Amino acid sequence: MDTPLSPETAVALDAALSTAGLDRTTRQCPTVDQSDRVVPINLRQSGPTPVQMLISTRVRKSPYWHLAHKAGCWRATVYNRMYHPRGYVRPEDGGAMVEYDALVNHVTMWNVAVERQIQVKGPDAEAFVNYVVTRDVTRIRPMNGKYVILCNEDGGILNDPVLLRVAEDEFWFSLSDSDLEMWLRGVNLGLKMDVTIREIDVAPVQIQGPKSLALMEDLVGPAIRDVPYYGLLAARVGGRDVIISRSGFSGEAGYEIYLRDATLYADDMWNAVLEAGEKHNLMVIAPAHHRRIAAGILSWGQDLDQETLPFQCNLGYQVPRKKTADYIGKARLEQVRAELEAGGEPYRMQLVGMALGGKPITDYAPDFWLISGEDGGAPIGYVTSPWSSPELGTNIAMGYVPYGMRHEGTRLTVWLPDQYAEQPGEPVNAQIVPMPFRASANPSARELARAQGRDAAY
C-alpha cells in the first residue's frame, strides 16, 4: 500500500498504536474514542492520493463554472452536489498563500454558487423556519439575516447556513455542504404549514477583503455604507437584480452578492465586478479556508456533521436560553446543556483550537491527522482544519480531543506528514489555545454575546 509517510514516521506511528493492535495496512485508529458516533470519522492516513476528478453531468456545474475556469481555476471539489473551485494560483506560482495575500491586503471574489438557495415562502414561513432552526427567527426583521443552525431530533447539526429574510413571508437558506431541501420538505409533510419550499435560481459570489467596501460602493453606490452586519440590500450589478448581504466566510470585511436568475445573467454580474475591481487589485480566488480557520469559522463535513452537538464544536451559543417556541432538537439540546452544567460529560470529544509546530502548512490536509497526548503515545484525537498563520508565525488548527483534555494550555502532539514535520518519525508539539485565533472585521454573535455576559445568542 502506498503511504504518504516516510518509513521512519510509519514505524513511529505504528509503535504508538501497537497497544491497540492497529493493522498497518488499514490505519483506521481505534484508540480515538468514537463510541458515541454511529458512523466514525475515517481516520486512515491515506494521504494525497493522485486521483483525477471526473467532470460529468451527474454533478451540476454552477452558472459561474465557466467563468471560474476562465479565471484560472485548476482544481475543484464537490459541495452540495455541485463542482466547487478550490484553487486558482498553482503551487509553482505560490499556491493558496498568494490567494491569502490578496484576501488580507486587497479584495477578492469567490464563486460560491454551491451555497444553493432554498426558499421558504408563504403565510406560515416565519413559524416554519422558527421550528427548524435553533435561534429565534421572530427577531429577524425583513432585509436582514443571521448565521443559524438546524438540528435533528438528537441535537446533531444538519446544516449551518446563513438565513436571509428577504420579505415578511420569504426566507432563503444559503446552505453549507449538506442537502437541506429534502429535510425541509419532509418536515413539512408532517406539519402541513402553508409554505412552499424549493431551490431557486439564485447564485452568490463573495466579495471579501479590506477593499470590499470601496469596490461595492463603486458597484451599487453609497447606500452600501448603511448596511449593517448581516443586513441586506436590494440592488443591481451589471444591470441585473441582486440581493447583497454584509457577510462572508473569511473573517475579513466582506459582502455576498446573490444574483437572481443566475443561469441567465451570470456573465453580466461577474464581468461587472471584474471591471469595477481592477483599480482595487481584485483577484478571483477560492474560498479562504486559511482565513476562516484563523477566524474560528467552521466548515460542515470537516469540523462538524449530523452527529455533532452544538456544544461539542463551539456552537453552544446557537442554543438560546430565552426562545420559548419549540424547535427540532430542543429537548435533547436542553438536556445536554443541563448535563454539562451539572458537571457531566454527555459526549466524548470536544473541538478545540491548537497552535502547533512543524513547517508551515500551506495547503488542504488530505486526512484527519492524528493527535496524541504530550508523550506522543497512542492517538486520542484528530485534526479537522489546519493551516499556517503568517500573522501569528505558527501553524494553527481545529481538532477534537477527549472532553477531559479540552482546557486551554493542555499540551499535545500532532502526527504531521513528513512535508510538514520537523523530524521524520516524530510528532510536533501542540497546545490548546483560545479561538478565534485572529480577530474578525465583524465580531460574531458568539463574541457579542460573550461581551454582554451571555453564553447564548437570541
Side-chain angles (χ1 to χ4, degrees):
M1 172 180 152
D2 292 336
T3 173
L5 305 176
S6 69
E8 296 90 344
T9 302
V11 169
L13 183 54
D14 282 350
L17 295 168
S18 62
T19 56
L22 180 65
D23 183 344
R24 183 174 174 180
T25 63
T26 60
R27 297 192 186 283
Q28 173 64 0
C29 183
T31 60
V32 177
D33 187 353
Q34 300 194 64
S35 59
D36 59 350
R37 290 186 62 93
V38 176
V39 180
I41 301 295
N42 185 354
L43 299 180
R44 293 176 177 86
Q45 305 295 291
S46 57
T49 46
V51 176
Q52 185 177 16
M53 173 171 281
L54 172 67
I55 304 297
S56 72
T57 53
R58 188 185 64 80
V59 176
R60 188 193 308 180
K61 294 178 179 177
S62 81
Y64 307 124
W65 177 251
H66 65 294
L67 296 164
H69 183 263
K70 183 178 179 181
C73 172
W74 65 275
R75 65 177 175 181
T77 186
V78 175
Y79 188 110
N80 277 331
R81 293 183 287 113
M82 298 175 75
Y83 294 113
H84 189 21
R86 299 302 290 189
Y88 290 83
V89 180
R90 290 184 176 271
E92 59 268 26
D93 297 320
M97 297 312 290
V98 173
E99 299 182 21
Y100 182 90
D101 181 75
L103 169 69
V104 300
N105 291 304
H106 300 291
V107 63
T108 59
M109 178 164 64
W110 315 351
N111 169 7
V112 290
V114 294
E115 299 171 3
R116 293 161 50 171
Q117 305 304 299
I118 307 303
Q119 178 198 64
V120 177
K121 182 175 174 59
D124 293 336
E126 181 182 87
F128 177 82
V129 174
N130 205 36
Y131 182 66
V132 296
V133 307
T134 61
R135 294 182 69 175
D136 187 352
V137 170
T138 66
R139 299 175 63 93
I140 305 176
R141 301 185 306 276
M143 294 305 286
N144 284 274
K146 292 290 184 187
Y147 171 64
V148 300
I149 61 174
L150 298 89
C151 294
N152 58 30
E153 64 276 17
D154 297 322
I157 301 170
L158 296 173
N159 204 282
D160 63 327
V162 171
L163 177 66
L164 310 179
R165 187 170 194 170
V166 299
E168 186 71 32
D169 66 345
E170 182 177 358
F171 294 81
W172 297 353
F173 287 92
S174 188
L175 302 186
S176 60
D177 189 17
S178 72
D179 194 340
L180 202 63
E181 181 182 2
M182 289 181 282
W183 167 261
L184 297 177
R185 286 176 175 267
V187 168
N188 201 43
L189 282 176
L191 295 178
K192 295 182 172 57
M193 289 192 180
D194 189 1
V195 293
T196 58
I197 301 167
R198 60 182 182 176
E199 183 176 353
I200 55 177
D201 187 17
V202 171
V205 298
Q206 292 201 23
I207 308 297
Q208 301 288 307
K211 298 178 182 177
S212 58
L213 175 58
L215 171 56
M216 294 303 299
E217 189 167 11
D218 287 348
L219 284 169
V220 301
I224 194 69
R225 291 187 169 272
D226 298 325
V227 177
Y229 190 40
Y230 280 111
L232 308 181
L233 175 71
R236 290 173 70 83
V237 174
R240 304 305 178 187
D241 291 331
V242 300
I243 295 288
I244 297 168
S245 70
R246 185 178 158 197
S247 57
F249 191 65
S250 73
E252 297 293 327
Y255 299 84
E256 295 185 75
I257 304 174
Y258 295 82
L259 174 65
R260 295 179 183 268
D261 299 316
T263 54
L264 294 176
Y265 303 129
D267 294 76
D268 297 341
M269 188 275 286
W270 181 281
N271 291 329
V273 175
L274 287 183
E275 182 178 354
E278 286 186 10
K279 71 177 184 180
H280 301 291
N281 294 315
L282 173 72
M283 184 177 186
V284 179
I285 72 167
H289 182 68
H290 27 42
R291 184 62 180 92
R292 69 93 182 164
I293 294 171
I297 299 172
L298 306 182
S299 176
W300 198 95
Q302 186 168 356
D303 305 305
L304 69 161
D305 65 10
Q306 72 275 8
E307 293 197 52
T308 309
L309 297 166
F311 304 101
Q312 285 184 268
C313 61
N314 296 337
L315 291 180
Y317 76 96
Q318 287 276 346
V319 184
R321 292 183 181 271
K322 295 185 177 181
K323 180 176 177 178
T324 57
D326 193 19
Y327 60 84
I328 298 173
K330 182 178 183 179
R332 173 59 177 153
L333 293 175
E334 291 188 344
Q335 177 191 20
V336 171
R337 179 159 55 197
E339 289 183 42
L340 289 169
E341 292 177 348
E345 297 186 10
Y347 47 81
R348 300 286 187 267
M349 307 290 282
Q350 181 75 47
L351 186 75
V352 297
M354 293 170 284
L356 58 148
K359 299 170 186 175
I361 299 167
T362 56
D363 208 349
Y364 298 90
D367 296 306
F368 293 98
W369 296 330
L370 299 174
I371 301 171
S372 293
E374 186 176 7
D375 62 357
I380 44 78
Y382 56 94
V383 172
T384 60
S385 294
W387 210 284
S388 171
S389 171
E391 294 82 3
L392 298 177
T394 188
N395 289 323
I396 58 176
M398 302 184 212
Y400 281 92
V401 300
Y403 183 78
M405 298 180 68
R406 70 192 183 282
H407 302 290
E408 293 174 12
T410 299
R411 296 188 179 279
L412 306 163
T413 53
V414 177
W415 296 87
L416 297 180
D418 288 340
Q419 69 185 104
Y420 301 128
E422 293 164 358
Q423 296 291 333
E426 295 182 9
V428 301
N429 292 324
Q431 185 173 6
I432 296 179
V433 298
M435 288 195 292
F437 301 94
R438 285 187 57 206
S440 297
N442 298 294
S444 69
R446 176 178 55 217
E447 291 156 359
L448 290 174
R450 186 179 300 161
Q452 296 168 9
R454 295 181 284 111
D455 65 355
Y458 295 115

